[in-house]
Each structure stands twice: as C-alpha cells, then as structure tokens.
Amino acid sequence: CKCLLAWPESASHYNHGNLVSPPTKTSIALSYDEVSENAYDIRLKLTKEVLTIQKQDVVCVSGSDHSANHRTVTLRRQPVGGLGLSIKGGAEHKVPVVISKIFKDQAADQTGMLFIGDAIIQVNGINVESATHEEVVHLLRNAGDEVTITVQYLREAPSFLKLPLGSPGPSSDHSSGASSPLFDSGLHLNGNSTNTAPSSPSSPIANEPKYEKRWLDTLSVPLSMARISRYKAGTDKLRSNAFEVLALDGVSTGILQFYTAQESADWLRAISTNISDLTLQNMKMANKCCSPSDQVIHMGWVNERLEGTDASQLYKFKFLALKGSSFYIFSTPPVSTLDWVRAEKIYNLCEVLFKIHKLWLADDCWLQANLYLGIHQDFDLEDQRPYCFSVMVGHGKSHYFNVELGSELAVWEKSFQRAIFLEVQRTGSKTYMCSWQGDTLCFTVDFALGFTCFDSKTKNVLWRFKFSQLKGSSDDGKTRVKLLFQNLDTKQIETKELEFQDLTAVLHCIHSFIAAKVASVDPVFIDSQSIARKYMYSN
C-alpha cells in the first residue's frame, strides 16, 4: 500500500426498520466531573462526522453591548409580584447565588435582560459573589423600590441546583431532575417598600441591548478514528449511564452522563455507528491504493487486558487491524504507509486463533463461550467486562480484548474468519521445519492436498493424508504433537509424531486451513457456528 490513509467526509444514517432518521441527533445530557463530583447541563449535537458539546449562554442579539460578560439591570419593585424572581445557591454551597425562577409578565421578566441561570454579582453596587444565600435575600428584600443588579450567566451551573432549562412561566418551575436540595427564596413578594403607588413596569429601553439565552458550541470532537469508553480509566468499574468519547488527537468530551440507561444506550449506539461508518469509509479509501492481496479487512479500537496485573484487571486502548496476510496491534491508528511497520505486534493470520469468551445476555446472566472446541482455555473470567475475545498467537501466547458493544464483537468475529480464510486461499500452503527421532523433516499444510511430510534433504515424501483423514490429535503443550489419521484402505488409525519449535503456530495453522476448507464447501455451517451473531442479533 503506497498511499496515505485519508479520512474523508462520509455519510451515515440511523436505520430503524424502513425509516431513516435525520442525520443530526440532539439531546440534553450532563457533563460530569469525576474529581469534584459535580455535573452540569449540556446539549449534545451529533452529525455524521462530529459530536458537538453545547453550553447555554446569554448573548446580545441587538443593540450595543458594552460588556460581553456582565449585564446591569434596574428592577422596579411591583406592589403585586415584587421583583418577580426567585434565587438559589450561595457561598455556603460553594456556588454563586443564581436566579432560579422568573415569573412571567412580572418585573424581572419585563426587562428582557434577566435569565434563569444568571449569577448575581452585585446588588446596588455591593459585591455579593462571596455572599451567603440569606445575605443576598436580605439585600434584595431591603434594597428599596428600585434595585440595580449586575449578573453574569453561569454556564456551568452544578446540576444539584436543578435549574429549569425552559422559558419564564409555569413550565419553568420544573426541572429535568428531582427537586433540588437547595430551596428557592421567592422575591416576587413585596420587600420593604415605602411607595404604595404602582410603579412603572421594568421594561427595556429602546436603545438598550437585547439578549437571548442560546446553546453555543463549546467543543467539537471529530469522530473519524475516535474511541468510546464506558469504564473509569484503567479499571473494570463501569460508569452508570455514562461514557466518554476521545478523538484521534486525544481531545475528550469528558464524562457524558444521561438521565436514563435507555438514553445512554441510544447515544452509545448512535455515536458508535457513526464511528464505524467513518472507519469503513477510511478503509475503502486506503484499499484503493493497496493491491488485492493487501486489503484492509477490518480495523478499530478495543481494550486490551494487561498481563500480570492485579485483581483490578487493568486495560489499555489498542487499535487492531486485519490487513493482507497480517494481524496488527497498534497503540495509535496508522495514518500513513510508514505507520504499518511501526505496529507493536504483527502476526501472520494463518497462525492466530480467534476465540469469544463472553457475551452479555441479560442483567444477571453470562454466556461463557468457546467458539472453537478442543483448544485449552487458559484465561480466567473473573473480570466483569462483557463482550470479550482473545487472539491466541505463537509460542502459547494470547491477547485478551474487550469491546463496548455486542455488535462490535460480532463484526470482529466475522472479520477474523474472513481475513483468515482469504489468507489461507491466497497462500495455498504453509511448510514448517520439524523433526522426529533425530531426522530433520518438513511438514506442509496444503489447501488442496491436505498434510504432507517429507525429508528436508532428499525431498522424498514420507506420508500424505487428506484433511478428512485427520481424526484427532494430542500434544504435550510444548513441542510434540501426535496426529491421528485414518488409512482409507485399511480403516486403521495411523499415529504420526512430530516435534516443532513453535507448536502453537502449527496447530493454529492446521485449524485455519481446515476451517477455510469447510467454509469453501459449506459456508452455511461456518455461519451457524457464529456465537456472537447468533446471540446478539436474536436479542
């Protein structure tokens, strides 16, 4: 492959039966800070290529704006309704005092310059940024008929304030969560006013700036080669109704938390679908520059369990690729031709074995699954991550991986099968040096002929059997293997013993060739053995 991998724009759609939903998905969520344990409202906007995080802010829509951050507003206390607002918060809660309610058609609402979520900075020139709730209530109630307040919109209001996101009026009295542990102090009643005559309404002056509360883009995360994590970094601790999206360049959305498990699952699937669609587009672009024998079959992010870790079972992000004759493991995705030779590990596809270990079928039910029978299982399954698979390689070594969704597990299963079968058919045969009783021999696995053993010096064939004649095998787990073949004429079992330097690679190769042979004769049988597709799609 002689070209750079380009990450182009691509199309993606959410398919629900025969309906195709709009390409943009939006929803209110929470941004959660694991250090402070605070969360605040955000709006998510998902397009085909980008996940955008928006925060609410107050913007000037007309007139001259003398201060982009602070607004100073004069309220005239009304005989009925007072200032027409309520407040929450205070220094004792480690948050500013904020406007929590604005009552429709009353003093605060009539100004057109005050909004739910505005933090009160000053009252009649007195700074109240460090004041307690009761101190601000006392100031506002005793400020007279005309009260001048300076405010600034609090873009990251902690969710425990339970500020409604709606407009003034009865609907704004309700937030998206439970009732707040902080009470509202209503300032819609009369304060200490000496004026009994009705005041003129608090209305905006013609040349004063006009403001609106809007959702503004604050962070855009490109989804090409992005990755998702539902787990706390390096642990098996699953975040509740939350996950994080990380871009290729390391930019993170932070922890995105949702109000329900269903909403979290919907967003996880939607973002994952867009990432997968973009990955497919990237593969297609790369394959245009690669020879037919060096095509990318599949690639994507996984979590790899680190060897030798304690009970916490630490994981790290890895990027896997199935390309041409090889299985690649990267720490970061390859974006140029040179990157392919910089992989952490490269294995020949004929000599690896894919195995599914876990599928999540119900809340309290694991399916422990071995896709291929007769292979020793040397992984304990104590960790709590679903959707796990391993790739067994030469010299008895293995890599243990986890993905976020069952659909991803099904794709990896099918992709490994396809990549291995293609490599077997391309290669045709594999020959390994071996020995027995002091003689140096060659052992060949051939897609058309089966198994052949010949003298490495004279090239004389010692024995040959078809795949169908192999009836069993056993090995010492180190270097020696016994292959049991049935003689077609006598129907007797003949035992052939051989010794290999890397026995595991040879056994995996035998398995790959036999599976590819079965697939070429009966593709339906191979599909019927797919544990991930069978269980994930039936559910």
Side-chain angles (χ1 to χ4, degrees), residues 23 83 98 407 422 463 482:
L83 298 180
V98 297
S407 56
L422 286 173
W463 48 262
K482 291 182 180 180

Side-chain angles (χ1 to χ4, degrees), residues 194-320:
T194 58
N195 184 0
T196 57
S199 304
S200 58
S202 304
S203 56
I205 303 172
N207 62 351
E208 283 191 349
K210 293 182 180 179
Y211 297 87
E212 286 183 4
K213 188 192 287 189
R214 292 182 179 177
W215 289 103
L216 302 180
D217 294 354
T218 58
L219 178 66
S220 293
V221 177
L223 296 178
S224 181
M225 295 296 165
R227 60 189 191 268
I228 302 174
S229 177
R230 294 184 295 157
Y231 295 87
K232 292 183 179 180
T235 74
D236 276 336
K237 293 181 180 178
L238 188 68
R239 296 186 177 106
S240 178
N241 301 340
F243 57 84
E244 179 182 12
V245 182
L246 298 102
L248 179 59
D249 60 3
V251 173
S252 169
T253 59
I255 310 305
L256 306 178
Q257 195 167 49
F258 298 85
Y259 292 104
T260 66
Q262 183 62 52
E263 195 176 12
S264 176
D266 288 345
W267 271 91
L268 183 67
R269 280 193 293 267
I271 295 171
S272 179
T273 296
N274 284 18
I275 292 174
S276 297
D277 288 346
L278 290 171
T279 300
L280 185 60
Q281 293 295 321
N282 297 337
M283 286 166 45
K284 288 179 178 178
M285 291 293 292
N287 286 338
K288 288 181 179 179
C289 307
C290 297
S291 66
S293 63
D294 200 30
Q295 298 282 294
V296 180
I297 301 299
H298 187 57
M299 58 185 181
W301 287 101
V302 299
N303 299 291
E304 182 176 16
R305 191 173 75 181
L306 302 182
E307 295 181 3
T309 55
D310 57 19
S312 63
Q313 306 285 2
L314 295 180
Y315 283 78
K316 281 190 71 175
F317 279 114
K318 298 291 182 181
F319 191 86
L320 308 185

Side-chain angles (χ1 to χ4, degrees), residues 18 89 103 312 348 364 418 462 480 504 508 531:
N18 295 324
F103 295 89
S312 63
N348 183 276
D364 299 308
R418 181 171 173 238
L462 303 179
R480 295 186 179 185
T504 308
H508 291 171
I531 291 176

